[in-house]
Amino acid sequence: MATYLTQEGYNAKMAELSELEAQRPAIKQAIAEARDKGDLSENAEYDAAKEAQGMLEMKISKLKELIAGARIIDDSKLNTDEVQLLNKVTIKNAKGMTVCYTIVPESEANLREGKIASNTPVAKALMGHKVGDHVQVNAPAGLLDFEIIKIEI
């Protein structure tokens, strides 16, 4: 299954992979030092270092798999006619409060930055709608009503 990423998200994943791979020598060194301390059957340092190595290799493997299946989203083909991935959408609730979200792939979601995953209830409800449309979102807090105020790139 393809994972959709922005160029920025792809670059961040590549940087993360480089950082993880750079940790390999330190872990190998920790294993070697622990091995030199003698009996491996009762060596907690050795066990911890081997476990850390396993976790690191698992993270590297998952990240390589994600990157290998990644599809970069061509933001030159984005438009603001209707809500789609990578659009910045300003919505207003029934009380008149406005909030702005950028709809991003799941792996790039960060609520503090106003980036919500495309598979969230709010993003799913907004997708395909235009400015002025009223959208109902079935959220854990109940049925919420929003009006789309602005769509930007």
Side-chain angles (χ1 to χ4, degrees):
M1 185 173 115
T3 299
Y4 293 95
L5 296 172
T6 61
Q7 186 64 52
E8 178 185 339
Y10 180 80
N11 293 345
K13 296 295 179 193
M14 291 298 290
E16 183 182 352
L17 178 61
S18 292
E19 287 175 26
L20 290 174
E21 288 178 333
Q23 293 176 23
R24 282 175 166 162
I27 288 182
K28 285 181 182 177
Q29 180 67 31
I31 290 170
E33 288 173 9
R35 189 179 314 126
D36 290 344
K37 293 185 179 177
D39 186 11
L40 298 181
S41 64
E42 294 180 14
N43 189 330
E45 285 181 46
Y46 178 79
D47 291 341
K50 286 299 279 183
E51 185 175 331
Q53 181 185 40
M55 295 293 286
L56 179 67
E57 292 303 324
M58 182 181 71
K59 286 179 186 177
I60 289 171
S61 175
K62 285 186 176 192
L63 203 46
K64 282 183 173 182
E65 188 177 312
L66 182 137
I67 290 168
R71 301 289 178 261
I72 307 295
I73 299 166
D74 183 358
D75 56 6
S76 69
K77 295 182 179 177
L78 297 177
N79 66 59
T80 57
D81 296 338
E82 60 184 38
V83 178
Q84 59 184 344
L85 199 59
L86 299 186
N87 280 153
K88 186 174 184 178
V89 183
T90 304
I91 55 176
K92 181 170 68 172
N93 69 11
K95 295 179 182 177
M97 292 177 59
T98 61
V99 67
C100 186
Y101 293 119
T102 301
I103 300 173
V104 297
E106 183 178 0
S107 61
E108 296 181 37
N110 184 335
L111 199 53
R112 289 183 186 181
E113 295 176 5
K115 296 178 179 180
I116 61 170
S118 58
N119 63 349
T120 61
V122 172
K124 284 181 180 179
L126 294 172
M127 294 287 219
H129 287 277
K130 301 175 188 292
V131 171
D133 285 358
H134 283 266
V135 180
Q136 290 193 330
V137 178
N138 193 1
L143 199 59
L144 305 173
D145 186 54
F146 294 108
E147 179 184 357
I148 300 173
I149 303 299
K150 187 176 5 173
I151 303 171
E152 303 172 89
I153 294 178

